[in-house]
Amino acid sequence: MSADAVVIGSGVMGASIAYSLARRGYAVTVVDKKSGPAQGSTGATSAIVRFTYSLRDSIAMAWESKHLWENLRDHLQAPEAEPVADFIRTGMAVIDIPGLLPPTLRSHFDDLAIPYAEWDAVELSRELPGIDVSNYHPPVRPDDPAFLDDSAEEANALYTPDGEYISDPVLATENFVRAAQRHGAQFLYNAEVIALDHRVLDRQQTVGSAPEDVTEGVPSKAGAPDEGGDSREGRAAWSIDLADGRVLDAAVVVNAAGPWSSRLNELAGVGSDHGVSLTPLRQEVHTLPAESTVIRADGSRIPALLDAGIGTYMRAEVGGQLLIGGSEPECDELEWVDDPDEVSMSVRPEQFETQSLRAAKRFNDITIPNRARGVVGVYDVAADWTPIYDQSEADGFYQAVGTSGNQFKNAPMVGELMAGLIDAVEAGHDHDNDPVRIPLNLTGEELDLGTFSRLRTPAGTSGNVMG
């Protein structure tokens, strides 16, 4: 079986990349070891759309992606009969504690025309009924006696009215899958990659002249050299062996395997030049019945809340639920894992109790049920919590990895930037020395992909899921 591009991973990232490549004319095949889309990290995401990143390019990408999410049906050219994931605009408040928000954040918001407001304790009380407006920091665990301490300091927050969440991340992924299929992409499930073999073809082996066991090549727009000639000596070709005995051949391979990405890089023999490490991290997201907390008197939902002072983020969930995730405070021991396949996918009562007690410290109308409820996921964490969107040291092998639990919001743009990167590099552009720049058409900005280079030294970021 031959394709122009094989994308490994059918989470929201892989599906978006497949769509953007297929729309450009690539013959795309997506493979995933699971039985359907969004069965890895994507299915456990909180799907929050926010803009409070440390790096300007990360902020700009999130802002552009927000506009694509708002117009997802148009972006995907989805027919009216197809259900499309909803964009739930609630706004987002980030309680400001020392060292949390980078000093450049507000100036970046101003430059990028991202609306925001400064909220004091009065505005927090008005917008989030029942909230305790004390500013707690640093975060501690509930079994620490300091957890019960009061604080005389009043909280203030940075509020972005365009913050929101995507109603159903699995449906959103299925939307990208169907859009890619409308452009000819194939999706192979229960298809585990067990080997990757790389070879370089002679430059004369071009579209239509490759041997039968090699892909017919990328489209001419991607495969034609830049003016002045292609600096690479040969065309990459990859054989991808699947556990069921099938073999795929492709000129381009994209690693979008989430927490399995490091293992896939090892199979491909790439990653030795990375400046940032990738490590899987087990995480839990919990839900509590909290209708009187999350639904205001007028029937609207409260804004999402990032509350790093107590170590959580929270948002309304369907059915009057409060969704609670962790912000990786230093007092919590993080659960790094060696093998994502060996991770327990059962919610642990002690973790549920910890996050529930933290939420109850912030909102006075929360009761904690006896039964733990939530989902378990595994993040693919980069050392600086910033993704790698890049090529690799092996021609034709690309990476959309290290998404660190904070990139679901950027999925629509990740497809576009990876397709733009692949177009440029396959045409001979020297991305390592002259990083590709991607136009952000809806917001009038430009994205420097050097920010997401595999070669970078760890960037100065929050050091947690905020990125």
Side-chain angles (χ1 to χ4, degrees), residues 429-449:
H429 185 83
D430 184 359
H431 173 61
D432 285 346
N433 292 304
D434 180 19
V436 172
R437 303 183 73 89
I438 300 293
L440 302 177
N441 296 321
L442 298 178
T443 56
E445 292 292 322
E446 193 175 53
L447 200 63
D448 179 358
L449 295 193

Side-chain angles (χ1 to χ4, degrees), residues 10-11 14-16 18-19 37-38 76 171-183 185 187 189:
S10 186
S16 177
Y19 169 61
L76 300 180
L171 175 59
T173 305
E174 291 171 348
N175 292 146
F176 279 101
V177 168
R178 284 192 283 269
Q181 289 172 329
R182 286 193 290 271
H183 288 273
F187 286 75
Y189 295 110

Side-chain angles (χ1 to χ4, degrees), residues 395-427:
D395 287 349
F397 192 91
Y398 297 83
Q399 306 174 77
V401 301
T403 49
S404 301
N406 63 41
Q407 289 294 296
F408 176 91
K409 64 186 66 60
N410 293 327
M413 263 312 300
V414 171
E416 294 299 293
L417 72 85
M418 289 301 296
L421 172 68
I422 291 166
D423 273 352
V425 174
E426 291 302 301

Side-chain angles (χ1 to χ4, degrees), residues 53 159 305 383 389 454:
Y53 283 95
Y159 174 70
L305 181 68
Y389 299 134
R454 73 196 188 281

Side-chain angles (χ1 to χ4, degrees), residues 380-395:
D380 177 28
V381 177
D384 56 5
W385 295 79
T386 296
I388 294 172
Y389 299 134
D390 200 358
Q391 59 185 23
S392 71
E393 68 265 43
D395 287 349

Side-chain angles (χ1 to χ4, degrees), residues 82-163:
E82 179 182 329
V84 171
D86 292 325
F87 172 93
I88 310 296
R89 187 176 184 270
T90 62
M92 182 162 192
V94 179
I95 293 182
D96 201 354
I97 63 172
L100 177 67
L101 299 176
T104 55
L105 181 68
R106 290 167 177 83
S107 63
H108 290 330
F109 279 9
D110 290 335
D111 290 344
L112 295 166
I114 298 175
Y116 67 94
E118 308 285 354
W119 279 1
D120 60 16
V122 173
E123 289 160 312
L124 277 167
S125 293
R126 183 183 67 242
E127 299 295 337
L128 290 93
I131 191 173
D132 177 349
V133 295
S134 300
N135 200 8
Y136 298 105
H137 63 86
V140 295
R141 294 186 61 77
D143 56 3
D144 187 321
F147 185 79
L148 298 176
D149 289 350
D150 294 326
S151 172
E153 179 185 351
E154 288 192 335
N156 56 74
L158 181 70
Y159 174 70
T160 48
D162 290 288

